[in-house]
Amino acid sequence: MKTTLATLILCLVVLMATGFPFERKGGSSSGGAAKEKRVQYAAWDDVNVIAHGLLQLGQGLKEHVDKTKVQMRDISTKLKVFNRTVTELGKESQRLRVEGEALKVHAQGLEDREGQLLNVTAELREKAEEMQQERRTMSERISRLEERVDSMLQGDAVLSDTNAAKNRSDARNIQLMLEAQNRRIDDLMERIRLQQEKLDKQNVRIRTLQSQIQQSRQRPSPRSSSTDGSEQRGGVAEQGDSPVEMASDCHELFLRGESTSGVYTIQPINAEPFKVFCEMTADGGWTVIQRRQDGSVDFDQLWQAYEKGFGNLNGEFWLGLEKIHSIAKDGGYILNVKLSDWGDDLATVRLPFRLGGEETKYSLQIQEVDTFSTLESSLGTDATSGLPFSTRDRDNDQKNDTNCAKHLSGGWWFSNCGRSNLNGRYFQSPPPKQRHQRKQGIFWKTWRGRYYPLKSSKMMIAPTAIENKS
C-alpha cells in the first residue's frame, strides 16, 4: 500500500511539472500565442489525469482504512476473550487455594486430636501397668495367705478358732479386693481398645486428607497465555477428575469418617468400581447385598440377572453375585441377615462366610465356628461344604428330581428346596390360602416356618472385624 501511494504521488508531481511549463523569454507574438493556446489544451488533459489519479488514491486510502478497522475489531474481540479467560483462571486459582488452605487446617486439627488421643492412650497404658503391678502384688499376698492356711490345716492344731476365723476373713477381703482390681483392669483395657479404634479412624482420615492435599498441589497450573476460553475450561474440568483412592467396601468408608447410610461408590481389589447401599451403624459400615420390603421388584429372574444384579439401591434390589464375590472372595466376612414378620417381630442371623466365583457357580460356604443355632441352621447347616447358586435356567441344587428355583421362585443357594429362600415371591398380608403358593414366598424355615411368607428381609456383609466390636 505504501508503494502504491508513493507511485501516485510521483505521477502527480510529473504531471504538474509538465502541465505548467515555464514561460520562455523572446520570440514572435504569433508563435507565443500559438504556444499559449497549445499549453492551455495540454493542461486540461493533465488535469483529468491528475483527477483520475487522486480518485484512485482516495479509493486506495478508503480500502486501507476499512481493512484497518476490521483488524482493530478482531484485536478488540481477542483482547476481551483473553481478559475473560484470565479472570476465570484467577477465580479458579483462588478457589483452589482456599480449598487447599481448608484441607490444611482440617488436617492440622486431626493431627492435634491424634496427639491428644496418643497422650490419653499413653496415660491409660500407664494406669493399666500400675493395675497389673497391683494385681501381681495381690496375687503374691494371696499365695502367702494360702500357704499359711495350708500350714494351719496340716498340723497347727493349737491355733485357736478365733485366729482361724480372722484369717478366713482376711482371705475373703483380699479376694474381694482382687476381684475389684480385676474389674478395674478390664475396664481400663476396654477404654484403651476404644481409644485405639478412634485413633485408627483418625489415622485413616488424616491419610485421606493428606492425599487430597497432595493431589491439589500436583494439579497443573493454568496456561495464562492462551486466548481460547473453552480450552482453559476443559483444563479445569480435567483437574477435577483425580479422585482419592476408592474404598473397597462400606466398612472402609466408615473408617474414613462416613457415618450416613446411603448410596456410595466402592472399588474392591482387582475389580471395577460400582455403586452400593451402605448401612452405617455405631459399630461400622455394612454393604447391603439384598433388600425385600414391598414387592416392587420381581425377583423371579434368570441366571444372568442374578449374576449382574437388578433393582433399585434405594428400594428393593439384588446387588449381583459377581459384585458380592469381588468383595468377599477371600473370606473374612460376616453375612448379616435381618428378617421381619407381619407382626413386626425381628430376627437376626450372622454367619461367617466366603463366596466362590463363577467357576464354582458362586458357591456359598459358611464357616462353622461352633454348633449352629436353630435360626442359623436354615442356611448354615447345608452350606458348610459349599452350596452353589441356582436359578430356574441353571439347576445347581442338591435335589436330583426337582429344579428348586422353578418349583419355588427366584434364585437362591438351594439345598433340597425346603430350608430357606429370601428371593421368593413377595406376598402381601394375608398370604395365599393354597399351600403350594405360600411355599413360593420369602421364608426362613426355622423362624416362622416354610409356609409363612415374611414381610421383609435384608442381607448385608462386612469384615469380621466388625463382629469383634459389636
Side-chain angles (χ1 to χ4, degrees), residues 122-139:
E123 294 177 359
L124 290 174
R125 287 177 179 171
E126 292 177 358
K127 291 181 180 179
E129 291 175 358
E130 293 177 359
M131 297 297 294
Q132 291 285 0
Q133 182 63 34
E134 292 181 3
R135 186 175 185 175
R136 287 192 293 269
T137 303
M138 296 299 294
S139 298

Side-chain angles (χ1 to χ4, degrees), residues 4 6 14 22 54 143 167 183 211 218 250 274 312 338 355 450 465:
T4 305
V14 172
F22 293 100
L54 290 173
S143 298
N167 286 333
R183 286 194 296 270
S211 176
Q218 292 176 353
C250 292
F274 54 87
N312 182 359
K338 292 182 175 294
L355 187 66
R450 181 182 180 186

Side-chain angles (χ1 to χ4, degrees), residues 402-448:
T402 303
N403 184 336
C404 294
K406 186 181 294 185
H407 179 63
L408 300 177
S409 183
W412 189 249
W413 293 279
F414 293 107
S415 56
N416 61 356
C417 303
R419 291 183 178 271
S420 63
N421 179 17
L422 298 184
N423 290 333
R425 294 177 61 186
Y426 190 92
F427 293 117
Q428 300 285 349
S429 182
K433 294 182 179 181
Q434 299 296 327
R435 190 175 68 172
H436 73 277
Q437 291 181 337
R438 292 201 306 272
K439 68 181 182 182
Q440 293 181 349
I442 307 169
F443 69 89
W444 193 269
K445 183 177 180 180
T446 55
W447 188 44
R448 287 292 181 262

Side-chain angles (χ1 to χ4, degrees), residues 59 168 180 182 193 204 343 372 414 435 452:
Q59 184 66 29
R168 285 194 297 271
N182 288 337
R193 185 184 67 81
V204 172
F372 290 116
F414 293 107
R435 190 175 68 172
Y452 182 96

Side-chain angles (χ1 to χ4, degrees), residues 52-95:
H52 183 67
L54 290 173
L55 181 63
Q56 290 182 345
L57 177 62
Q59 184 66 29
L61 288 173
K62 182 177 181 299
E63 293 176 355
H64 179 69
V65 170
D66 292 340
K67 184 177 180 180
T68 302
K69 288 181 179 180
V70 172
Q71 292 177 351
M72 289 298 293
R73 283 196 298 270
D74 292 341
I75 292 173
S76 176
T77 302
K78 291 181 180 180
L79 284 175
K80 290 180 180 179
V81 173
F82 176 78
N83 291 335
R84 185 167 57 253
T85 303
V86 170
T87 302
E88 292 176 356
L89 291 175
K91 293 179 179 179
E92 184 64 21
S93 299
Q94 180 65 25
R95 186 182 65 81

Side-chain angles (χ1 to χ4, degrees), residues 16-28:
M16 291 178 65
T18 57
F20 300 97
F22 293 100
E23 183 181 358
R24 295 183 179 178
K25 294 182 180 181
S28 62

Side-chain angles (χ1 to χ4, degrees), residues 29-281:
S29 60
S30 62
K35 185 174 182 181
E36 182 179 357
K37 185 177 181 180
R38 186 174 59 252
V39 170
Q40 181 179 3
Y41 289 122
W44 179 255
D45 294 337
D46 293 341
V47 168
N48 290 331
V49 172
I50 293 171
H52 183 67
L54 290 173
L55 181 63
Q56 290 182 345
L57 177 62
Q59 184 66 29
L61 288 173
K62 182 177 181 299
E63 293 176 355
H64 179 69
V65 170
D66 292 340
K67 184 177 180 180
T68 302
K69 288 181 179 180
V70 172
Q71 292 177 351
M72 289 298 293
R73 283 196 298 270
D74 292 341
I75 292 173
S76 176
T77 302
K78 291 181 180 180
L79 284 175
K80 290 180 180 179
V81 173
F82 176 78
N83 291 335
R84 185 167 57 253
T85 303
V86 170
T87 302
E88 292 176 356
L89 291 175
K91 293 179 179 179
E92 184 64 21
S93 299
Q94 180 65 25
R95 186 182 65 81
L96 293 175
R97 283 196 296 269
V98 172
E99 289 181 356
E101 292 298 328
L103 288 174
K104 289 180 182 178
V105 172
H106 196 180
Q108 183 62 40
L110 289 176
E111 290 177 356
D112 295 339
R113 292 179 62 185
E114 181 184 16
Q116 296 175 0
L117 288 173
L118 288 173
N119 294 334
V120 172
T121 303
E123 294 177 359
L124 290 174
R125 287 177 179 171
E126 292 177 358
K127 291 181 180 179
E129 291 175 358
E130 293 177 359
M131 297 297 294
Q132 291 285 0
Q133 182 63 34
E134 292 181 3
R135 186 175 185 175
R136 287 192 293 269
T137 303
M138 296 299 294
S139 298
E140 293 175 357
R141 293 176 62 183
I142 287 292
S143 298
R144 290 195 298 268
L145 185 58
E146 288 177 350
E147 292 175 358
R148 292 175 60 186
V149 171
D150 290 340
S151 63
M152 289 166 52
L153 293 175
Q154 288 175 0
D156 193 2
V158 297
L159 187 63
S160 64
D161 294 339
T162 304
N163 291 335
K166 181 179 180 180
N167 286 333
R168 285 194 297 271
S169 177
D170 291 342
R172 179 60 180 168
N173 291 334
I174 292 174
Q175 185 178 2
L176 293 175
M177 292 174 61
L178 185 59
E179 291 176 353
Q181 291 291 343
N182 288 337
R183 286 194 296 270
R184 291 177 60 190
I185 291 173
D186 293 339
D187 182 62
L188 283 174
M189 295 302 294
E190 179 65 18
R191 292 174 61 185
I192 290 174
R193 185 184 67 81
L194 294 176
Q195 290 290 342
Q196 188 64 42
E197 290 177 1
K198 292 181 180 179
L199 188 61
D200 293 339
K201 293 180 183 179
Q202 293 293 339
N203 286 332
V204 172
R205 296 182 65 183
I206 288 173
R207 288 196 299 270
T208 302
L209 286 172
Q210 289 175 344
S211 176
Q212 292 176 352
I213 293 172
Q214 184 177 3
Q215 288 183 357
S216 65
R217 290 176 177 175
Q218 292 176 353
R219 290 176 179 173
S221 59
R223 293 173 295 172
S224 59
S225 60
S226 173
T227 60
D228 189 352
S230 62
E231 182 179 355
Q232 290 295 330
R233 288 189 290 272
V236 173
E238 184 178 355
Q239 294 171 9
D241 294 335
S242 301
V244 181
E245 182 180 356
M246 292 185 183
S248 59
D249 61 11
C250 292
H251 187 61
E252 186 173 342
L253 285 170
F254 173 81
L255 294 178
R256 291 186 180 185
E258 298 292 346
S259 58
T260 304
S261 299
V263 178
Y264 295 87
T265 301
I266 65 172
Q267 185 175 18
I269 299 174
N270 299 326
E272 294 295 325
F274 54 87
K275 293 184 180 298
V276 296
F277 189 93
C278 296
E279 183 162 315
M280 301 301 185
T281 67

